[in-house]
Amino acid sequence: AQSVTQPDIHITVSEGASLELRCNYSYGATPYLFWYVQSPGQGLQLLLKYFSGDTLVQGIKGFEAEFKRSQSSFNLRKPSVHWSDAAEYFCAVGGTASKLTFGTGTRLQVTL
Amino acid sequence: SAVISQKPSRDICQRGTSLTIQCQVDSQVTMMFWYRQQPGQSLTLIATANQGSEATYESGFVIDKFPISRPNLTFSTLTVSNMSPEDSSIYLCSVESSWLAGYTFGSGTRLTVV
């Protein structure tokens, strides 16, 4: 069975500081990995995805994630956080033409 | 990537009634997925809808409670039947736009049952 663990429920960072959100997954084959962001009252927006190839993936809004097969991880990073980045972040794993399994989410708070 | 129009965006319903949520996609897609996001929780898949066949439901979800229609490759509906306050959630549809684009989500339907 596939699963995703996001160990940090809530993270607070100062504006301009760096950010890393953790994600560990369990999947029986080559995983397709995703990071989504959900602002309050909004739908899900895809930040980035990993299917294959380069293990460092660049996304929108200055985010990047690194796939580490040996650690079953797909951590999300941003070098300098902006106040507008405050939102809920979800990591998900799945395969093509199949369902996604989501982690429980990490709520990011940004202090000015 | 595909663009999904989901409606209604929100509704407040009386217990015991039913609500039908619609998702329209701007391109033909084979599979559509329906998710539920309970307050403060993550997303849980309700069912997968393929055109021309019965939807496939995940454990804990049944067709009598969440009937799904998929009349063509661009449209699907999810009905929440005989609602109770426990059904208060955000319901989202999703499609796999393409192998490269990944999965796109509708903007969600925020349902409150009173």
Side-chain angles (χ1 to χ4, degrees):
Chain A
Q2 58 197 58
S3 65
V4 176
T5 301
Q6 292 181 249
D8 304 305
I9 297 173
H10 188 199
I11 285 182
T12 300
V13 299
S14 300
E15 188 175 40
S18 63
L19 171 71
E20 182 169 27
L21 302 182
R22 295 183 291 168
C23 171
N24 291 94
Y25 69 90
S26 174
Y27 194 75
T30 301
Y32 291 168
L33 294 157
F34 306 83
W35 275 100
Y36 287 89
V37 61
Q38 185 178 40
S39 298
Q42 303 296 312
L44 289 168
Q45 182 180 24
L46 179 66
L47 286 176
L48 48 78
K49 59 191 179 292
Y50 171 79
F51 289 156
S52 65
D54 193 345
T55 56
L56 184 62
V57 180
Q58 301 298 321
I60 63 171
K61 303 184 180 186
F63 285 93
E64 67 177 27
E66 186 171 12
F67 171 60
K68 293 185 177 180
R69 184 186 300 274
S70 62
Q71 299 177 19
S72 297
S73 69
F74 188 59
N75 294 347
L76 182 71
R77 300 193 295 248
K78 186 170 185 178
S80 178
V81 170
H82 188 263
W83 64 265
S84 61
D85 293 324
E88 188 90 21
Y89 291 80
F90 293 96
C91 180
V93 67
T96 186
S98 69
K99 68 177 184 180
L100 291 183
T101 298
F102 285 82
T104 50
T106 298
R107 181 170 298 277
L108 173 65
Q109 183 176 356
V110 180
T111 58
L112 302 177
Chain B
S1 60
V3 176
I4 302 175
S5 174
Q6 183 174 344
K7 59 182 180 182
S9 59
R10 59 178 63 231
D11 207 340
I12 300 173
C13 301
Q14 297 291 322
R15 69 174 67 203
T17 63
S18 298
L19 175 71
T20 295
I21 302 167
Q22 300 179 2
C23 270
Q24 178 75 51
V25 189
D26 68 346
S27 58
Q28 294 184 339
V29 293
T30 303
M31 303 172 77
M32 293 183 73
F33 304 90
W34 287 97
Y35 289 84
R36 180 177 72 180
Q37 186 179 22
Q38 295 178 297
Q41 304 295 315
S42 185
L43 283 80
T44 301
L45 182 67
I46 297 171
T48 303
N50 290 324
Q51 192 267 334
S53 63
E54 292 245 342
T56 302
Y57 289 81
E58 297 296 304
S59 176
F61 297 97
V62 295
I63 187 171
D64 290 346
K65 176 67 175 177
F66 298 101
I68 289 172
S69 77
R70 184 79 201 277
N72 57 53
L73 291 174
T74 63
F75 187 77
S76 180
T77 67
L78 170 76
T79 299
V80 186
S81 303
N82 188 25
M83 289 184 287
S84 66
E86 291 71 34
D87 295 319
S88 298
S89 297
I90 299 173
Y91 293 86
L92 302 103
C93 62
S94 175
V95 301
E96 184 181 22
S97 300
S98 68
W99 181 81
L100 288 176
Y103 294 83
T104 303
F105 284 80
S107 54
T109 297
R110 184 178 294 273
L111 171 61
T112 302
V113 183
V114 298

